[in-house]
Amino acid sequence: MESLESPETQDTTPIERFVWDLTYACPLRCLHCLSESGRRPASMLRRQDALKVVDVIINARPKRLSIGGGEPLLAPWWEEATRRLTAAGVPTTIFTSGWLMNEAIANRLSDSVTGVAVSVDGASEEVHDLIRGRAGSFRKSMASLEHLNRIKKERRERGESCYRLGVEYTVTRSGWEGKEQFVEQVTSRFPEVDYVTFGAVIPEGLAQEEKFASRELLSDEQLVELSESEAELASYARNGAHVSVTDARLFLPTSPLSAEGETIAHIEADGQLRAVTNYEAKVGNVLEEPLDVLWSRALAWRNDPFVSEQRNSIRNLDDWARVTRLLDRRYGSAADKLRIARRSDAA
């Protein structure tokens, strides 16, 4: 990978946002999981190394940070890390399934992060639990919103600041129906929710596999319909929450709006930096090499003729799934390739 370094591109594509997976430990088994969490070693950093990653992120001065996993609340040092980040002025949102949420954790989040997003994959318990791979996960997500809503309300009434509270709804074919009713119900039941975002499942991680892609990726017609439904979905909000639709087509390499995705630096649970957030290719570890060196290497990987040719061939989600399968199997680490092979065998 050293030969791919291209210092010239470092100045043209700055890091504006980080994604940091704190751990791949997870109580759920989501069918579309990017990181295959819960099915692989947790790969969690020691506290001192995690705080070194915090320093790397702070020194890069990003516009924002998204923390996920796995279930990030399983990392014992999550609160110390997020407090340092927010104190340093890095807007930090933690993405959670809600499985572990209780009043104490909601309180700790209110003092340590600027945003909390609860992930939902269906308007009903039946659909959500099917996609999430564990019975009771929908009830857990709703219970987590109950805790987060109550803490936010109490802090608002005391004139104290608190996290921005959101719901991130991943739309699959199974979860297509009931979106309007979901907006109405969640904004009525949890009036402190600030936003609800809908986004089509994208073909990365487990969602790239042919069995899942053929069954759950949205069709071109559904993508159009989803993108055009934002105003209607927003009309169902009962608390003034902002309702938006993230159009997956905007992330296609051939879209002029995909440039935002190119400014994301994605750090895995062991400190490895992904070349691109959607693919398994890694360019080194932020605990071992300077970030600017790794970032130049990541940009060079994206500009490699073979990689560019493949990414530029993407016109729809099916193409995207095909390219992801190809690139992950070609550029993933030895451990990645073994895991992917087991995944393919199981399918």
Side-chain angles (χ1 to χ4, degrees):
M1 190 61 69
E2 294 291 339
S3 62
L4 293 179
E5 290 188 16
S6 176
E8 296 82 11
T9 57
Q10 171 66 27
D11 296 329
T12 61
T13 307
I15 295 174
E16 295 187 351
R17 173 189 166 195
F18 279 88
V19 173
W20 183 17
D21 301 328
L22 298 197
T23 178
Y24 296 138
C26 187
L28 306 184
R29 300 293 182 272
C30 301
L31 301 182
H32 53 41
C33 186
L34 164 64
S35 59
E36 213 163 342
S37 292
R39 303 168 175 87
R40 61 187 292 185
S43 189
M44 190 188 304
L45 291 174
R46 299 173 300 173
R47 171 185 170 274
Q48 57 266 40
D49 287 335
L51 296 181
K52 290 178 183 177
V53 174
V54 167
D55 290 338
V56 168
I57 294 172
I58 290 172
N59 290 336
R61 298 182 177 274
K63 294 180 179 179
R64 57 191 175 112
L65 164 67
S66 298
I67 287 182
E71 174 51 66
L73 296 177
L74 285 170
W77 37 259
W78 71 261
E79 184 176 9
E80 183 177 8
T82 54
R83 281 182 180 274
R84 287 199 186 193
L85 288 157
T86 53
V90 179
T92 301
T93 297
I94 196 164
F95 290 76
T96 176
S97 68
W99 188 271
L100 302 175
M101 191 66 63
N102 54 36
E103 186 169 340
I105 292 176
N107 258 315
R108 292 163 64 192
L109 286 165
S110 68
D111 287 323
S112 59
V113 298
T114 53
V116 180
V118 178
S119 301
V120 178
D121 291 336
S124 68
E125 181 173 347
E126 178 183 9
V127 172
H128 176 90
D129 288 4
L130 173 67
I131 298 296
R132 289 265 149 178
R134 186 165 182 184
S137 58
F138 184 79
R139 292 195 300 273
K140 288 279 192 180
S141 64
M142 294 301 106
S144 72
L145 285 169
E146 192 77 58
H147 291 301
L148 293 162
N149 183 83
R150 181 168 59 254
I151 294 302
K152 183 168 184 178
K153 179 176 183 292
E154 291 173 355
R155 291 181 68 96
R156 177 177 56 78
E157 291 175 344
R158 294 196 299 266
E160 300 172 353
S161 61
C162 196
Y163 42 69
R164 190 164 182 256
L165 179 58
V167 177
E168 296 276 345
Y169 188 118
T170 300
V171 185
T172 58
R173 291 191 187 187
S174 293
W176 179 262
E177 301 295 336
K179 299 185 294 297
E180 298 84 359
Q181 291 74 22
F182 177 81
V183 172
E184 183 173 18
Q185 291 168 6
V186 79
T187 55
S188 297
R189 182 176 174 185
F190 311 114
E192 299 297 324
V193 164
D194 295 292
Y195 67 90
V196 181
T197 298
F198 293 89
V201 62
I202 59 176
E204 57 187 16
L206 291 176
Q208 70 183 261
E209 299 302 326
E210 293 184 68
K211 185 176 180 181
F212 180 90
S214 63
R215 186 180 66 245
E216 294 293 354
L217 292 186
L218 299 188
S219 66
D220 292 345
E221 294 75 17
Q222 286 176 314
L223 286 174
V224 172
E225 184 177 344
L226 180 63
S227 68
E228 293 177 349
S229 68
E230 184 172 271
E232 181 181 1
L233 288 169
S235 71
Y236 284 85
R238 296 294 175 261
N239 68 337
H242 179 68
V243 179
S244 63
V245 171
T246 301
D247 190 341
R249 295 172 301 172
L250 302 183
F251 295 104
L252 298 177
T254 48
S255 166
L257 297 178
S258 68
E260 180 181 350
E262 298 299 302
T263 65
I264 298 173
H266 187 145
I267 301 174
E268 295 198 335
D270 59 357
Q272 293 282 331
L273 184 73
R274 284 191 170 215
V276 184
T277 188
N278 307 113
Y279 304 108
E280 292 282 2
K282 266 75 73 173
V283 294
N285 197 302
V286 299
L287 295 172
E288 299 169 358
E289 297 182 86
L291 180 62
D292 58 348
V293 171
L294 299 180
W295 186 241
S296 291
R297 202 176 292 162
L299 298 177
W301 184 89
R302 304 172 195 188
N303 291 322
D304 174 76
F306 179 80
V307 173
S308 295
E309 178 185 8
Q310 295 303 317
R311 296 180 73 203
N312 289 330
S313 73
I314 299 173
R315 297 292 183 272
N316 53 44
L317 294 190
D318 288 335
D319 288 344
W320 194 349
R322 170 185 54 78
V323 169
T324 305
R325 289 193 294 270
L326 175 62
L327 295 182
D328 281 0
R329 285 157 174 78
R330 181 171 178 139
Y331 292 105
S333 67
D336 293 331
K337 292 175 182 178
L338 179 60
R339 174 166 46 84
I340 290 170
R342 290 171 175 167
R343 175 200 305 169
S344 301
D345 292 342

